[in-house]
Amino acid sequence: MNSQLKRGTLELCVLSILARRDCYGYELVNAISESMHITEGTIYPLLKRLKDDGNITSYLVESTEGPPRKYYKITNNGLLKTKELEGQWIQFYRSINKILGITEKGE
Amino acid sequence: MYYTKAQFLEVLKAELLKRGITDNEILEDFEQHFEIGLSQGLTEAQVCEKLGAPAEIANQYAPEGYTESTDTKQNTNQTESNTTSAQTQQSAFAENNYNYSNANQSAPQNNGDNADVAKMVGVICLDVLVLTWAIPTLFSLLISYWAVMISFFVTPVVMIIGIIFGSYFFSAPMIVSMLTPAAGIFAALILFGIALIMSAFCVDIWKGFGKLMQAIARLHYEAFTGKKATF
């Protein structure tokens, strides 16, 4: 898949997963790469940006093996952002599908 | 291409420095990524490959629009991001410390696959020391509550039948024969009132007990599987 197409939606994917549960970075990578191929290194700059913008926070949890793990947690701001991006995404893929002539079920 | 963890981290650190980023937390994130990847059976080279090029990663940490080749821009960015990254590092550090103590108090809200032995032991102790007597006791109290309520409904009915029809074709409770008819009806009404009050709470108490059992089940599920219970 085109990497530029992916970059814009990766933010929504990360926020959407964090809206469901807290995750550490590696877990997020795994959850996303189950469905699509990503360059794993890109997730950390994204997480930092989201954190700096106040959409997520992080906290450390002791691990039974190795150093404590850094978990990410979505904030109320982040939840709002998720809803906003979700709406944009749905609108976007509908209009593209329309142009491509792909009709959705129930339309 | 980078083949070892040490090489990768060193190059990443250098690439970040080129862009004026001195945030140690970034390197810690990647170190953690390696730790987990290696613990899952990947080789250092495999983790490196999946992560992608350090220069590319460093680019994404840099302020918008930055690319490695623009030298003039780099210098202005350097001073700018030096101060901002130092600030964010500081605040992130404070935040981490704060959250760290929080995380220790409350259970980690992860959905990971690490069932905690200490938690299991704790749950078993709870079972043996508390639940073995607490649950049967609570349950028998619950049953007796319902029994008392039902008998307080039935008794006034029997009393009033006894008062109206006498004890010719109904053997009324003994108390009826000891009271005047008016006092008997009054006593029956009192009992009926108590029964009504009890019935107001009986369903809630029943539901509360159900919720308690559910919470205990959830506690066990989470302690033994390490997953978040969905029921």
Side-chain angles (χ1 to χ4, degrees), chain A residues 21-22 24 26 39-42 44-45 48-49 51 57-62 68-73, chain B residues 23 25 29 32-33 36-37 40 42 50-52 57 60-61 88 95-96 99-100 103 108-111:
Chain A
R21 62 193 166 92
D22 296 2
Y24 51 91
Y26 202 89
T39 317
E40 297 184 356
T42 58
Y44 292 102
K48 183 167 162 45
R49 250 200 318 278
K51 196 176 153 183
T57 58
S58 64
Y59 60 94
L60 292 176
V61 172
E62 286 291 0
R69 285 178 179 173
K70 192 202 262 183
Y71 276 81
Y72 294 94
K73 182 183 180 63
Chain B
D23 194 342
E25 223 191 325
D29 286 346
Q32 191 186 62
H33 188 94
I36 299 169
Q40 294 192 346
L42 296 176
K50 285 177 161 214
L51 280 174
I57 294 168
Q60 292 181 34
Y61 277 111
T88 52
E95 193 178 22
N96 266 347
N99 283 333
Y100 190 62
Q109 297 139 310
N110 67 333
N111 203 7

Side-chain angles (χ1 to χ4, degrees), chain B residues 33-108:
Chain B
H33 188 94
F34 269 100
E35 296 274 2
I36 299 169
L38 295 179
S39 78
Q40 294 192 346
L42 296 176
T43 64
E44 292 194 353
Q46 280 172 321
V47 177
C48 288
E49 201 190 309
K50 285 177 161 214
L51 280 174
E56 187 54 40
I57 294 168
N59 268 342
Q60 292 181 34
Y61 277 111
E64 291 264 336
Y66 180 90
T67 48
E68 208 188 334
S69 53
T70 53
D71 269 337
T72 46
K73 210 173 175 184
Q74 187 181 346
N75 286 332
T76 52
N77 274 340
Q78 200 151 9
T79 48
E80 203 178 274
S81 55
N82 255 337
T83 50
T84 52
S85 73
Q87 275 167 1
T88 52
Q89 193 180 354
Q90 226 170 17
S91 64
F93 183 70
E95 193 178 22
N96 266 347
N97 270 355
Y98 170 73
N99 283 333
Y100 190 62
S101 55
N102 254 1
N104 272 343
Q105 282 159 13
S106 60

